Amino acid sequence: MEKLEFHMWMDCECVRYRKLDGKLRSLPPKPHYHLKLVDITEFYGEKDQLELALYILRNSVALEAMTIDPKPTVAAEQCRLTWKKDGFSYVDGYRVAKKYLLRADHRGVVDVVKAGRKDIEALRNAP
């Protein structure tokens, strides 16, 4: 497998990872030699999501690009999203990705897409 596309939307109350939530878990290293492109959308910054993204980043030795996009794609099509209810989850995902994934990226392959209020409102109001 050379490309992985991951939509992490969850229909629940999301809480971004903070150090108070405990140490991040990690599995033993298991290098993947073929994965080159990873696209993750709807990244809220939950502890489990962050651990998975870090595992993929650290173990994909051929990785050329990893894009983390907190904005909704699947959820925007299926649900009525609101800034008050959903918007902060996407901004939190952006902050967590910047803080933890960019710091762990020693090869310069991670791109974190900015998620702001205008972005979420535009998706919600799209036809």
Side-chain angles (χ1 to χ4, degrees):
M1 176 170 61
E2 292 186 359
K3 183 176 181 181
L4 175 63
E5 188 174 300
F6 223 130
H7 303 288
M8 293 187 157
W9 180 71
M10 298 180 298
D11 189 15
C12 62
E13 187 75 25
C14 298
V15 180
R16 76 174 174 188
Y17 172 72
R18 300 166 308 183
K19 287 186 179 182
L20 296 172
D21 296 330
K23 188 175 180 179
L24 291 169
R25 302 164 292 181
S26 61
L27 295 168
K30 179 116 172 113
H32 191 292
Y33 297 100
H34 302 286
L35 189 60
K36 294 180 181 180
L37 303 170
V38 176
D39 290 319
I40 299 175
T41 63
E42 296 159 307
F43 182 84
Y44 299 154
E46 292 260 332
K47 185 176 181 181
D48 294 340
Q49 291 178 329
L50 178 58
E51 290 166 340
L52 177 59
L54 285 168
Y55 180 82
I56 293 169
L57 176 63
R58 292 175 178 152
N59 286 280
S60 301
V61 296
L63 193 63
E64 296 171 1
M66 175 184 255
T67 302
I68 307 293
D69 188 349
K71 294 187 298 283
T73 54
V74 174
E77 296 170 2
Q78 298 179 3
C79 303
R80 289 200 47 89
L81 302 176
T82 65
W83 173 255
K84 186 176 180 181
K85 179 177 172 272
D86 305 291
F88 290 110
S89 297
Y90 311 120
V91 175
D92 286 348
Y94 170 74
R95 290 177 181 154
V96 168
K98 278 191 65 167
K99 183 173 183 176
Y100 294 98
L101 288 168
L102 288 180
R103 185 182 300 156
D105 178 20
H106 304 294
R107 296 174 283 168
V109 298
V110 175
D111 177 35
V112 180
V113 178
K114 185 168 174 78
R117 180 178 183 144
K118 289 181 183 179
D119 299 316
I120 307 309
E121 287 295 326
L123 284 170
R124 186 187 74 128
N125 295 325

